[in-house]
Amino acid sequence: MFISKAEEKLVKRFILKRLFSGTIVVLFSVLFNFVIIRMAPGDPTRLLAGKDNPSPEMIAALREKYGLNKPVLEQFWIYLKQLAHGDFGYSYVSTAKVWDLIETRLGPTFLIALTGAVIALVLGTLLGVFAARKKGSKFDIFLCGISYFFDSTPSFWLGLMMILLFASILKWFPTYGMYSLRGNYTGIAKVLDLLRHMFLPVTTLVLIDIPYFFRIARSSVLQTMSEDFIMTLRATGMPEKKIFNKYVMRNAIIPTVTVFGITLAYMITGVSMIEIVFAWPGMGRLMLDSITRRDYPTLSAIYLMLSISVAVMTVVVDIVYAWIDPRIRIE
Amino acid sequence: MKKLLVVLLMVLFVLTGCAGGNGKTEEVVYVIGQDAEPATLNPDAISDDNNYAIVQNLFPRLYKLNNAFNAIPDLATSYDVSDDALTYTFHLRDNAKWSDGEKVTSADVLYTFNEIVDKSYAFESVFASVTSMEAPDDYTVVLKLSEPDGSFLANLSWYGTFILPEHVLKGTDWMTNDEFSNNPVTCGPFKFDQWNKGTDVQIVRDDNYWGDAPKLDRVIYTVVSDGNTMYQAWLNGEIDEISAYYIPTTDLEGIMADTEHYYTVNQVWPSPWYITFNLEDEHFGNPLVRKAVMYGVDREDVSVKATGGYKPANNHFIPDNFVDAVNDEAKEADYDLAKAQALLEEAGYTKDANGYYFECTFAVMDGFDDFCKVIADNMEKMGIKVNLTVLDYNIWVEQCLDNYDFEITALGGFQGPDVLGTTRRWTTDGAVNVARYSRAEVDELAKKATQAATDEERNECIKQVQTYLAEDVPFVLCVNYVDYAPFKSYIKGNNYLSVADGGSMEKSGFSELTYYWLDK
C-alpha cells in the first residue's frame, strides 16, 4: 500500500491518539474494577474459614494478613504500588501467585476460542455473502432461519446436547476435558487426542458464533449492493463478479472486522459457559470460580488484562480500518 | 462443497477412529470426579472441602474417622486417657516415613499442632481446651486439657489436623508456601504425583507406606464443574466415581435397579436440612409463630417432593441418627395444619381477604431451592405468604449469618462428628448458630455435655437441651441427610461397606482408598 508523507503523519497521530485514550480507559477500569469487586457482598475470608466450623480467629487473622481491614482506597494504593512492580499478588483462594494461575489457563482458552472464532468468521462470512447474493432464495431463507435458531440457543444447553448426542449416545467423542486421563499418549497420538477433545467445544462455539458473522456479512453486503455507486458501476457494464469482488466486498467487510476484533479482545476471559460444560481448563472457568470465591486479586488481574486487551484490540481494529478504507485515514 | 464434505468426514473418521488402544499403560487407574479444584494440598491451612478427599490419602492424623464415625488408629497405634480425662497420651508407630524418606516422629506432631494454634489456622478450635503439648520421646505425644472434652478425640480425627513434616515446613508460612501446597511431602498410602491446574490432581501408591499396600497404582481427581457433564462422563465410563449429589434423583431408581452394573451404598450423615428463624423478627420472633411453622410444614411431604423420598424426614431437634441422644419426649411435632393455624390465631393473627395471616421473605441459599420451595408451599397452605429470594452462598453468609438480616431461612451442614457437633448450631457462641438463639440453661447443659465423663451423662445433657429447643423452636430440622450412592459394580473394597460385606469401613478413613481394587 502506498501512502504519502503527509498521510503517514496523519496515521501516526491517529495511532498515538488512540493509544492515549486506550491508556486512560485502562487506568479508569483498574480503579473501577477494584472498587466494584470489593463492594459486592460476600467476604473471601469467610469462605476460607469453611462452612461447618468457621473460626473467628482465623477470619480476623486472614483479614489482617490480606489488608482487608484497611480502607478500600488504601488497599487500592497498595495494589497500585504492587502493580507498578509488575506483580499481580497472591490469590486468596489458591496458595499460588495470580500470574501462575492465569498463565496455565491462557493456552487452553486461546486454543478453543481462537480456533472457534476463526472457523466461525470464515464460515459465517462466506455463508452470509452467499446468502446476500442469492437474497430471497430458498437457501437464503433456510440459512436465515437456522441462524436465528443457533443465535437464540444458550451455549451451555447446546454444549450439553452435543455431549448427549456425540459422547453418550454415539460415543464418537470424549465427554469432557482436554486429554484422556487414562491414556498416556505421546507424539502424534497426543495431538490427535487433543483434537478429539477439542472437537465438541469448538463445534459448539462455532455454531453459536456463526450467526453473528453470518448476519453482519449478509446485511452489510446487501446494504452496499443497494448503494448508488454500485448502480453506477452496473450501468457502466462492468461484470457483476468484478463489481462484487472489487467494490462490494471491500466496503462490506468493515463491520465484520469490528465484530471479529471485539471477539478477539474478549477472548482473554475465555468462553465461560462452554469451558464449564466441557470442563475445559480455560480463563472463563478461572474467572467464574474467582467470582464465586471472591478471589479479589485474581479477579483484578483478569479484569485488568481484559481491559488492556479490549483497549489494544480497539486500536488495532481502528488501524485495520484505516488500512482497508482510506477514507477513515484521511478523516 | 462436496469436496469440503468429504474432507470433513475424513477428519471425523480419523478423530473418532483413534480412540483408545495405543499408548495405554498397564497401571490400575481410578478416576474420581470433583466439581472444583482444591485451593491447596496443605490439609491444615484452610478449610477446603475440595482437598479433603485427596489429603486423606496423603497425610496421617493421630486417629482418623471412618464412615461409621468411629475414630480408628492412624499414625497413633493407641492412646490412653487419664482418670480425670485431662491427659491424652498417644503412642505413635515407629515405622512411618515421609515420602522423602525422613522418619515421622512426635516432633512433627508437636510442630503441626503448635503451628495450627499459633497462626490461627482453620481448625484451631479443636485445641481450644489444650493447655500443653509434650513429646517425652520420639514416639509419644501427651496432650493436656484444661477441662474434659468428650469430643476431643473425634474432632482431632476429623478435619484440619493432619500431621505435617516439620523438616520441610519449619519457618515457612503455610498460606504462601506454594512449593508445599502444590507438591507436598506426604506420609500416606499414596503420594503426590502431579497437579495439572484446572484439570486434575494425581496421586500414586507410596511404597514407603507403613500400612497395607494399596492395590490401585494411581488415583486421579478430575475437575468437572458442571454436574450434568460429570454425570454423563460417569455413565460413559470416563470417571469411575462421582458424588451421589450429581446423580439426578429421577435417574437414581433406574440405576439402583440395575444391580448387574451398580451396587448402592447408603450413608446417613448428621447433616440435616433445616429451617431457622430470625428470633428478633416481627413475626418469627414470636415462639407461637415458630411452633406454627413446625406444625404446618409437613416434613414427609418435604422429603418426598424435594428429595424423592431419599432423604427421610427428621423428627428430633438433633439429627435422628444420634440415636442415643435423641429425646422422644421432646420431639418435633407431627404435621397438623389445624393446630398450626390455631397457633397463628393464638398469636393474634387473622386472615386477610386473600386468606393470608401475614407475609414474609424466605432467604434461600443457592442449592436449597427445591427444599425451600416445598417448605414455602406448605407455609402458603397454612396461610403465610412467602416470597422466596435466592442468594449465592457468599451473600447468604454475609446477609444471614453475619448481619442477621433475614426473616426465615434454611440450611444444611455437618453437625458431627459426634453429637457435640450439634452445639455449634444452638449455643450462644456456636459458630453456625444462625438464629442467634441464646438460653443460659442450654449453654450450661452444653458445657456439662462437653465435660461429661461418660457417653450416658453426655447424652442425658443433650436430651435435656431438646426440651428447651422444643419450647423455643429456634429451628425445625426437616430431612435427614442420607446419601444413596451408586457405585460401579467393578469397584471393590468400598470404605462405605464393612469388611464382612467386602468393604473396608473398619480399616480406612472417610475417603481413604487403600483397600479399593477394580474387578474388571
Side-chain angles (χ1 to χ4, degrees):
Chain A
M1 193 171 57
F2 180 80
I3 46 174
S4 69
K5 271 264 153 72
E7 256 185 357
E8 200 182 297
K9 219 173 169 183
L10 273 173
V11 170
K12 265 190 189 155
R13 245 182 66 194
F14 169 81
I15 293 177
L16 278 178
K17 248 168 77 181
R18 286 290 194 272
L19 280 178
F20 178 74
S21 59
T23 314
I24 299 285
V25 168
V26 169
L27 284 180
F28 262 98
S29 68
V30 171
L31 173 67
F32 219 66
N33 292 329
F34 192 89
V35 176
I36 288 207
I37 301 169
R38 275 158 185 79
M39 273 165 57
D43 183 332
T45 58
R46 292 303 310 246
L47 296 166
L48 294 178
K51 285 182 186 181
D52 294 326
N53 193 11
S55 142
E57 290 81 10
M58 186 195 190
I59 291 166
L62 285 175
R63 291 186 64 81
E64 166 89 36
K65 178 174 174 151
Y66 293 142
L68 290 168
N69 48 357
K70 296 189 177 111
V72 173
L73 279 181
E74 195 183 332
Q75 290 181 44
F76 183 61
W77 179 237
I78 295 170
Y79 175 65
L80 278 187
K81 282 199 284 194
Q82 203 184 11
L83 268 190
H85 290 99
D87 181 5
F88 286 132
Y90 260 91
S91 157
Y92 290 171
V93 177
S94 307
T95 35
K97 291 201 184 83
V98 168
W99 177 245
D100 291 346
L101 288 178
I102 289 178
E103 203 188 3
T104 52
R105 304 299 188 97
L106 281 174
T109 275
F110 284 139
L111 199 56
I112 58 164
L114 199 61
T115 314
V118 170
I119 297 177
L121 168 77
V122 173
L123 287 182
T125 309
L126 283 179
L127 290 173
V129 170
F130 200 69
R133 291 193 70 173
K134 312 243 159 158
K135 186 175 177 258
S137 68
K138 274 186 188 151
F139 184 74
D140 181 31
I141 293 167
F142 171 73
L143 280 183
C144 284
I146 209 161
S147 89
Y148 284 120
F149 173 76
F150 282 112
D151 197 21
S152 53
T153 305
S155 55
F156 63 89
W157 182 83
L158 185 63
L160 196 56
M161 290 304 119
M162 299 290 267
I163 288 177
L164 284 176
L165 182 60
F166 293 107
S168 298
I169 297 173
L170 295 171
K171 303 207 182 294
W172 286 0
F173 292 101
T175 316
Y176 77 101
M178 213 170 138
Y179 291 104
S180 299
L181 292 171
R182 290 177 214 264
N184 248 336
Y185 297 110
T186 46
I188 287 288
K190 189 171 180 178
V191 175
L192 282 175
D193 185 45
L194 175 63
L195 288 175
R196 290 182 64 231
H197 281 83
M198 275 173 68
F199 190 86
L200 291 184
V202 168
T203 308
T204 310
L205 186 60
V206 166
L207 288 176
I208 295 288
D209 274 356
I210 278 183
Y212 294 113
F213 294 111
F214 169 77
R215 273 185 291 126
I216 281 160
R218 183 177 176 273
S219 63
S220 54
V221 165
L222 283 179
Q223 202 199 336
T224 315
M225 288 215 296
S226 68
E227 288 199 30
D228 292 346
F229 73 92
I230 299 291
M231 200 180 286
T232 313
L233 288 173
R234 279 196 181 129
T236 65
M238 189 185 277
E240 197 66 17
K241 206 169 176 182
K242 192 173 176 190
I243 297 178
F244 195 82
N245 291 344
K246 193 158 181 196
Y247 298 98
V248 176
M249 275 311 281
R250 193 145 174 200
N251 278 288
I253 206 74
I254 287 187
T256 303
V257 170
T258 318
V259 173
F260 188 65
I262 297 298
T263 311
L264 288 186
Y266 281 96
M267 199 172 286
I268 201 146
T269 53
V271 274
S272 316
M273 286 304 159
I274 289 175
E275 287 178 8
I276 283 175
V277 171
F278 291 99
W280 193 264
M283 288 288 286
R285 248 176 72 198
L286 180 65
M287 182 174 73
L288 287 191
D289 287 349
S290 306
I291 292 173
T292 40
R293 295 178 180 191
R294 299 293 187 273
D295 190 355
Y296 298 157
T298 309
L299 273 179
S300 298
I302 293 175
Y303 289 156
L304 176 64
M305 289 174 67
L306 176 64
S307 53
I308 292 176
S309 143
V310 170
V312 168
M313 281 319 291
T314 317
V315 177
V316 170
V317 166
D318 282 346
I319 294 169
V320 172
Y321 274 0
W323 177 60
I324 298 178
D325 188 344
R327 285 171 303 182
I328 296 175
R329 274 205 304 260
I330 307 303
E331 276 161 29
Chain B
M1 205 64 186
K2 265 184 195 148
K3 267 186 201 160
L4 191 72
L5 265 178
V6 170
V7 171
L8 270 178
L9 279 177
M10 275 171 64
V11 169
L12 209 70
F13 182 75
V14 171
L15 287 183
T16 54
C18 77
N22 48 349
K24 289 235 171 179
T25 55
E26 296 304 309
E27 275 188 331
V28 180
V29 178
Y30 190 62
V31 182
I32 301 180
Q34 293 208 151
D35 65 358
E37 183 169 57
T40 165
L41 289 179
N42 181 321
D44 298 342
I46 60 171
S47 178
D48 182 2
D49 282 348
N50 301 318
N51 75 20
Y52 190 47
I54 306 171
V55 296
Q56 289 179 68
N57 290 292
L58 298 178
F59 296 97
R61 286 160 285 188
L62 291 179
Y63 266 62
K64 60 190 172 191
L65 284 183
N66 69 3
N67 274 311
F69 301 104
N70 293 320
I72 58 174
D74 196 358
L75 185 63
T77 50
S78 64
Y79 73 100
D80 313 308
V81 193
S82 63
D83 290 340
D84 58 4
L86 292 177
T87 306
Y88 282 73
T89 307
F90 292 91
H91 307 287
L92 312 188
R93 60 185 75 248
D94 59 9
N95 57 346
K97 280 187 180 155
W98 294 108
S99 52
D100 62 3
E102 291 283 324
K103 285 195 150 211
V104 183
T105 67
S106 53
D108 293 309
V109 179
L110 288 196
Y111 163 75
T112 306
F113 292 174
N114 278 318
E115 199 74 358
I116 289 174
V117 174
D118 293 346
K119 307 274 169 64
S120 292
Y121 287 118
F123 276 70
E124 185 196 1
S125 61
V126 172
F127 302 95
S129 55
V130 174
T131 51
S132 81
M133 306 192 222
E134 277 159 35
D137 63 56
D138 271 1
Y139 301 105
T140 310
V141 172
V142 181
L143 304 179
K144 291 207 165 99
L145 311 187
S146 57
E147 51 196 29
D149 180 352
S151 55
F152 182 63
L153 186 71
N155 282 327
L156 199 62
S157 314
W158 174 28
Y159 208 130
T161 52
F162 294 87
I163 311 305
L164 301 179
E166 181 185 26
H167 68 283
V168 177
L169 286 170
K170 194 165 189 185
T172 70
D173 175 358
W174 295 356
M175 296 297 286
T176 51
N177 186 336
D178 331 0
E179 175 55 30
F180 189 80
S181 306
N182 289 298
N183 184 7
V185 171
T186 62
C187 168
F190 294 87
K191 62 184 176 186
F192 175 77
D193 181 54
Q194 50 183 293
W195 183 350
N196 302 301
K197 286 284 158 112
T199 313
D200 56 83
V201 177
Q202 306 198 7
I203 61 178
V204 293
R205 180 175 51 228
D206 185 354
D207 294 321
N208 261 331
Y209 183 53
W210 51 262
D212 295 336
K215 297 181 179 73
L216 303 173
D217 295 310
R218 177 182 296 274
V219 180
I220 303 176
Y221 296 87
T222 176
V223 183
V224 186
S225 42
D226 186 277
N228 294 314
T229 307
M230 198 188 319
Y231 175 57
Q232 290 302 322
W234 180 70
L235 290 177
N236 296 342
E238 287 163 57
I239 299 180
D240 294 304
E241 179 186 328
I242 61 173
S243 154
Y245 183 81
Y246 294 106
I247 299 171
T249 316
T250 43
D251 289 9
L252 196 53
E253 203 173 337
I255 289 173
M256 282 165 66
D258 180 5
T259 49
E260 191 194 332
H261 297 101
Y262 302 94
Y263 64 93
T264 306
V265 299
N266 85 45
Q267 169 79 337
V268 187
W269 296 89
S271 311
W273 290 354
Y274 64 103
I275 309 170
T276 190
F277 308 96
N278 183 326
L279 303 182
E280 287 167 11
D281 183 66
E282 58 164 320
H283 307 297
F284 298 110
N286 186 340
L288 290 171
V289 176
R290 301 198 294 268
K291 271 187 194 157
V293 173
M294 172 174 71
Y295 277 101
V297 172
D298 183 358
R299 299 189 294 279
E300 291 296 339
D301 185 52
V302 174
S303 163
V304 170
K305 286 188 183 146
T307 78
Y310 290 110
K311 298 190 177 21
N314 193 81
N315 294 315
H316 297 87
F317 284 93
I318 63 170
D320 279 351
N321 51 317
F322 291 127
V323 281
D324 297 326
V326 295
N327 186 347
D328 284 322
E329 308 300 311
K331 287 171 74 163
E332 294 183 336
D334 289 336
Y335 177 63
D336 185 342
L337 185 58
K339 172 87 180 172
Q341 290 176 331
L343 281 164
L344 286 177
E345 276 160 27
E346 190 186 333
Y349 290 96
T350 49
K351 279 191 177 173
D352 66 11
N354 300 320
Y356 289 120
Y357 292 106
F358 65 87
E359 186 173 342
C360 71
T361 302
F362 197 149
V364 181
M365 191 199 299
D366 196 15
F368 286 84
D369 321 31
D370 289 347
F371 174 58
C372 293
K373 266 180 219 152
V374 183
I375 292 168
D377 192 43
N378 272 266
M379 286 169 67
E380 293 265 345
K381 256 184 227 153
M382 61 192 275
I384 301 174
K385 186 165 169 50
V386 181
N387 306 307
L388 293 166
T389 55
V390 182
L391 307 173
D392 98 20
Y393 175 69
N394 309 283
I395 300 179
W396 183 89
V397 167
E398 186 160 311
Q399 187 179 321
C400 300
L401 190 59
D402 292 351
N403 297 344
Y404 202 42
D405 176 17
F406 68 100
E407 294 193 80
I408 175 171
T409 186
L411 68 153
F414 191 57
Q415 305 201 12
D418 63 17
V419 72
L420 291 173
T422 62
T423 60
R424 290 193 297 272
R425 309 276 163 166
W426 41 257
T427 50
T428 306
D429 303 329
V432 211
N433 179 357
V434 182
R436 302 205 178 173
Y437 177 64
S438 176
R439 186 159 173 167
E441 297 95 320
V442 166
D443 288 345
E444 191 55 41
L445 282 165
K447 199 171 166 196
K448 259 175 77 181
T450 308
Q451 299 180 0
T454 64
D455 285 357
E456 289 72 30
E457 199 184 314
R458 180 189 71 188
N459 291 339
E460 194 46 49
C461 297
I462 298 293
K463 280 182 183 173
Q464 284 180 46
V465 166
Q466 291 165 66
T467 58
Y468 293 107
L469 293 176
E471 247 175 72
D472 300 328
V473 196
F475 47 75
V476 181
L477 306 193
C478 294
V479 296
N480 225 331
Y481 199 95
V482 177
D483 255 344
Y484 281 86
F487 281 83
K488 304 266 173 97
S489 52
Y490 59 77
I491 299 169
K492 307 288 184 189
N494 201 308
N495 53 30
Y496 283 99
L497 296 173
S498 68
V499 174
D501 296 330
S504 61
M505 186 193 279
E506 292 85 347
K507 300 188 283 189
S508 54
F510 274 152
S511 314
E512 188 188 327
L513 301 167
T514 309
Y515 299 97
Y516 274 49
W517 58 282
L518 308 181
D519 184 17
K520 274 186 176 173

